[in-house]
Amino acid sequence: MKKHLVPLSIAMLAVSPLLAREAAAASIIPDRPSLSTGPEVLDAGIFQLEAGSRFTGGAMSSAGFEVTQRFGVIPGWEFRMTTPVTVASSTTASSVSLGAKTQFLEGYLLSLGALGSVEFSPQGSSPQAAFLATLGLPAGYALTVNAGPVWSASGLDWTGAALLGYDSGNLWQAFGEVARYQDPASKGTGWGADAGLQVLVTEDVIWDVAVLRGLSPEVPDWAVTSGFSLRWGD
C-alpha cells in the first residue's frame, strides 16, 4: 500500500501549484483602479459591475465617479459600457464609452488581448484601441503592458501603460504603474504615475484604492480613487 502512496504523493505535489492557480483565477479580476487594462475577459454568462469615485487636486480640482458594466457574451469576448461623470466647479461633464475586449492567448506565463472602444460626448466621438499583454513573473509578480491609438477632434494621439503588479496569493494585490492616458476630467492626454491596492472581500467582491500623481500639465497634479467591483453569474 505504501508503494502506491509514493507516486500518488508525488503527483499531488506536482499538480498542487496548478490547482492553487486555478483557485486564484476563480476570484474576481477587475480592470479598475489602474489606468491600464489586463487581457482577461469574463466567461460567457458573467456580468461584472465596477464602480468608484475620484477626487483630483491642484490646478484641475474636481470630483466624479465612473461605472463600468462588463458582459461576458461568448467565449473569449466581452462587451462593456463605461459612464464617467466629472464635476469641476459648477460644470458637470459626462460621456458614454462602448467597447469590446477579446483575449486570444491565455497562458501560464503570457496572456494577450485587445480592446476597442468609442467614447460619445457632447464634443463628439473618440475611438480608441489598445493591445493588451500580461507577462507572469516569479514570486507572485506580473507585468502588464498596454499600447494603442486614440482619435479625437484634435487629431490622432496614443496611450500606453506599464504596470508591475504583485499578488499575495491570499486576500490582496498591489500595483505600481506609469501611463500615458486620456484623463476623464481634463480630456487631455498626458503622463501619470499611480499605485494602488485591491482587497478581496469575497470571491465575487473586491475593494480598491489608488493614488495618482500627474507628470505632465494635461492631467491633474494628483488624484485619489476608490471603489468596488462585483460579479454575478455562473
Side-chain angles (χ1 to χ4, degrees):
M1 182 69 176
K2 289 184 179 180
K3 288 196 275 188
H4 295 289
L5 289 176
V6 173
L8 179 61
S9 300
I10 294 173
M12 289 300 294
L13 287 173
V15 302
S16 59
L18 300 177
L19 295 175
R21 182 173 175 81
E22 287 296 323
S27 300
I28 181 173
I29 303 176
D31 285 338
R32 58 166 296 113
S34 62
L35 301 171
S36 62
T37 301
E40 299 86 4
V41 297
L42 300 179
D43 291 336
I46 300 296
F47 169 67
Q48 193 160 300
L49 181 69
E50 304 179 6
S53 56
R54 185 174 190 262
F55 301 91
T56 66
M60 302 179 187
S61 60
S62 64
F65 63 89
E66 181 178 271
V67 178
T68 297
Q69 301 173 68
R70 300 170 57 187
F71 308 86
V73 181
I74 58 177
W77 284 86
E78 71 171 50
F79 296 92
R80 47 205 291 140
M81 179 174 69
T82 301
T83 308
V85 177
T86 301
V87 180
S89 300
S90 58
T91 304
T92 302
S94 63
S95 61
V96 175
S97 176
L98 303 177
K101 182 165 70 166
T102 181
Q103 183 174 9
F104 46 82
L105 177 63
E106 181 181 5
Y108 186 82
L109 295 178
L110 180 65
S111 295
L112 301 176
L115 172 66
S117 63
V118 180
E119 182 180 35
F120 301 92
S121 69
Q123 291 74 35
S125 60
S126 177
Q128 184 172 350
F131 172 76
L132 320 173
T134 294
L135 176 66
L137 300 174
Y141 288 92
L143 177 65
T144 296
V145 177
N146 293 178
V150 56
W151 293 266
S152 65
S154 58
L156 175 65
D157 207 331
W158 66 277
T159 60
L163 176 148
L164 181 64
Y166 172 72
D167 188 344
S168 69
N170 191 10
L171 297 177
W172 60 273
Q173 301 89 38
F175 68 88
E177 176 181 33
V178 176
R180 178 175 172 82
Y181 70 105
Q182 191 174 56
D183 185 76
S186 66
K187 294 301 181 182
T189 302
W191 289 93
D194 66 325
L197 177 71
Q198 297 173 328
V199 178
L200 193 68
V201 180
T202 71
E203 292 297 309
D204 298 308
V205 180
I206 201 165
W207 170 79
D208 64 68
V209 63
V211 178
L212 178 141
R213 172 66 177 172
L215 302 178
S216 62
E218 296 84 2
V219 300
D221 295 337
W222 59 267
V224 177
T225 66
S226 183
F228 283 89
S229 298
L230 304 93
R231 181 179 65 178
W232 292 271
D234 298 324

